Amino acid sequence: MRQTVPVPHGLPMDRDANPFDPPRALTRLRAARPVSPLVFPDGHEGWLVTGYEAVRQLMADTRFSSRLDLGVVHVPYETPGMPVPTEPSPQIPGVFIAMDPPDHTRLRRRLTGAFTVKRMKQLEEHIVEVTERQLDAMARLAPPVDLVREFALPVPSLVICELLGVPYEDRDTFQNNSAKFLVKEQTLEEKMAAYGALTTYLAELVTSKRAAPGEDILSDLARHDDLTVEELTGIAFLLLLAGHETTANMLALGTFALLEHPDQLAELRADPDLLPDAVEELLRYLAVGDVFYRYATEDIELGGETIGKGSTVVVSLLAANHDPRRFEHPDTLDVHRKARGHLSFGHGVHQCLGQQLARVEMRAGFAGLLRRFPTLELAIPANEVKLRTDMNIYGVHELPVTWTETAG
């Protein structure tokens, strides 16, 4: 039920209770008013949606547009040095996550066959092999090591490079520029420089694939004459960025969460059959891709509020995933929980295209890591772990770990 609560000025972003829970201010707001007015730093008033049912309803309603060219992107948190745009952002060819049907439908349809459950099951054995090779390499190192650099980042990068047909030896180019692109507190010029470097590289790559296609997803797309090079570049940018950044942060942050919950880790080691449910629970609990925007194309009723036409709406998937109206004891990590129905992959027409790939990678990654390193532990105090609070995809910058023994 709606209560009188202070209207937040900017989106509360600090995970002040622990590295895994939503900010307390968001939790209080969700309990009092799950669909709440929000004042942006430029003084513009929009809306913040934190309740599970309201978020799910919004993401299923195509009247809430994903198009950045319909309205100004009002930055919801204070970002020193980051200019608040005063004009709508033009649509970027191929970046279908920021499109509505029918444009979104036309581009996404080209990719649905590449990421089916059946195809991901066929790839599972190969993904396990990739994971095991990386674990072999890590086991040969003298601890402590950075789990991000030696395991969490390489595994999804290797897999997505192979699927897309991106040379893995070019990983420094795309990993560095992807990371720069995702930094929150930077100027528009800095952000666009990273984006420009990445898309220049990808434009050359898709052009070469159109001339001499191989056996990979980008080559398959390049065979379609109705897709322009600009659209192919945008699609490649989206798939490459999402394909390695999100899963890498889930593997690293998920490992951190398990090490910080030794009872849950012990249960998972004792019963590996719990792993599929544990992966869903970690996805729910951590929600590394948290904040999304939508724009109301007409007056819309949501959660007892009227969202006016043209309003900017900010969605918090983390808050929704921790809603006690949907999940019992939501701030507790429970590997026995049946957490399906979480919103970490979104909902509706924009639900994550690569979610089955991410699940396969996480099942293989966590299973291999826990089996091969039975004594894995943090090499530094938990409060010294560098969190990605400065990035648009949450996680850890580094996760120093150590061990006393390895298993075959």
Side-chain angles (χ1 to χ4, degrees):
M1 181 179 292
R2 170 176 160 175
Q3 300 175 27
T4 302
V5 290
V7 175
H9 286 246
L11 178 63
M13 295 295 292
D14 294 333
R15 302 197 183 199
D16 39 17
N18 68 47
F20 314 117
D21 291 344
R24 288 191 185 98
L26 270 191
T27 301
R28 290 192 294 267
L29 191 64
R30 183 191 60 216
R33 197 172 181 182
V35 180
S36 168
L38 171 71
V39 177
F40 294 89
D42 66 350
H44 168 82
E45 187 172 296
W47 293 86
L48 170 61
V49 186
T50 53
Y52 178 90
E53 288 300 334
V55 168
R56 198 169 188 275
Q57 182 182 334
L58 178 149
M59 299 191 91
D61 190 336
T62 54
R63 294 177 299 169
F64 286 105
S65 174
S66 297
R67 286 173 51 184
L68 301 183
D69 62 319
L70 290 184
V72 177
V73 180
H74 298 275
V75 183
Y77 36 76
E78 298 290 350
T79 50
M82 179 69 176
V84 177
T86 56
E87 298 293 335
S89 302
Q91 278 199 298
I92 301 173
V95 181
F96 55 88
I97 196 172
M99 296 179 182
D100 297 334
D103 296 327
H104 170 269
T105 310
R106 177 179 72 87
L107 295 176
R108 182 169 171 128
R109 188 179 291 140
R110 295 292 191 195
L111 289 160
T112 50
F115 292 98
T116 60
V117 175
K118 181 179 178 181
R119 184 163 184 185
M120 291 307 107
K121 282 190 176 297
Q122 292 169 344
L123 279 171
E124 189 158 6
E125 186 176 334
H126 178 62
I127 290 170
V128 169
E129 290 173 1
V130 170
T131 303
E132 291 300 319
R133 284 200 300 270
Q134 200 62 39
L135 288 167
D136 288 341
M138 183 169 140
R140 288 193 291 268
L141 300 174
V145 304
D146 174 15
L147 190 81
V148 174
R149 186 178 63 207
E150 304 301 341
F151 179 69
L153 185 56
V155 167
S157 296
L158 281 159
V159 171
I160 199 65
C161 281
E162 192 169 327
L163 281 176
L164 296 182
V166 175
Y168 185 63
E169 56 268 24
D170 294 342
R171 62 190 177 278
D172 285 347
T173 296
F174 70 76
Q175 287 175 352
N176 290 339
N177 284 305
S178 294
K180 289 176 183 176
F181 179 77
L182 291 170
V183 171
K184 287 178 187 174
E185 297 183 7
Q186 63 177 325
T187 64
L188 193 58
E189 289 76 15
E190 288 171 325
K191 193 177 195 73
M192 294 312 295
Y195 172 77
L198 196 50
T199 52
T200 297
Y201 166 76
L202 290 171
E204 293 173 358
L205 183 66
V206 297
T207 300
S208 70
K209 289 183 181 297
R210 176 152 275 177
E215 297 299 319
D216 54 73
I217 290 174
L218 293 184
S219 292
D220 291 345
L221 291 170
R223 291 185 176 95
H224 293 286
D225 292 335
D226 64 320
L227 293 176
T228 66
V229 168
E230 290 77 17
E231 286 178 320
L232 289 169
T233 301
I235 293 171
F237 165 76
L238 190 58
L239 295 181
L240 185 61
L241 185 74
H244 78 275
E245 278 284 351
T246 51
T247 307
N249 283 292
M250 273 302 306
L251 285 170
L253 190 64
T255 301
F256 183 27
L258 289 171
L259 292 174
E260 284 297 279
H261 295 80
D263 57 329
Q264 299 299 299
L265 179 58
E267 292 194 41
L268 201 49
R269 288 192 195 280
D271 185 3
D273 289 342
L274 289 173
L275 193 60
D277 284 340
V279 164
E280 298 303 317
E281 170 67 346
L282 286 165
L283 284 161
R284 178 201 71 83
Y285 185 63
L286 301 173
V288 297
D290 176 17
V291 178
F292 287 84
Y293 299 88
R294 293 290 186 267
Y295 303 92
T297 58
E298 57 184 81
D299 290 353
I300 306 169
E301 292 294 322
L302 183 70
E305 308 281 359
T306 300
I307 310 294
K309 180 179 179 180
S311 295
T312 302
V313 185
V314 182
V315 179
S316 173
L317 299 186
L318 178 67
N321 278 346
H322 284 245
D323 190 341
R325 298 176 181 91
R326 174 61 177 81
F327 298 102
E328 190 175 356
H329 305 300
D331 295 340
T332 299
L333 178 65
D334 180 3
V335 296
H336 294 274
R337 189 194 303 271
K338 304 297 181 184
R340 291 192 183 271
H342 65 75
L343 297 173
S344 292
F345 289 124
H347 182 63
V349 298
H350 286 286
Q351 192 169 41
C352 177
L353 186 66
Q355 62 179 289
Q356 301 304 336
L357 174 62
R359 286 185 169 104
V360 171
E361 290 175 330
M362 281 185 275
R363 287 197 297 264
F366 288 124
L369 188 66
L370 299 186
R371 187 189 73 254
R372 294 290 296 277
F373 296 90
T375 58
L376 190 73
E377 60 182 9
L378 290 178
I380 60 174
N383 61 6
E384 293 181 13
V385 172
K386 296 176 182 176
L387 300 167
R388 286 168 55 106
T389 53
D390 57 333
M391 308 292 278
N392 284 315
I393 295 178
Y394 189 60
V396 294
H397 284 291
E398 299 172 357
L399 191 69
V401 294
T402 187
W403 60 86
T404 56
E405 60 180 284
T406 60

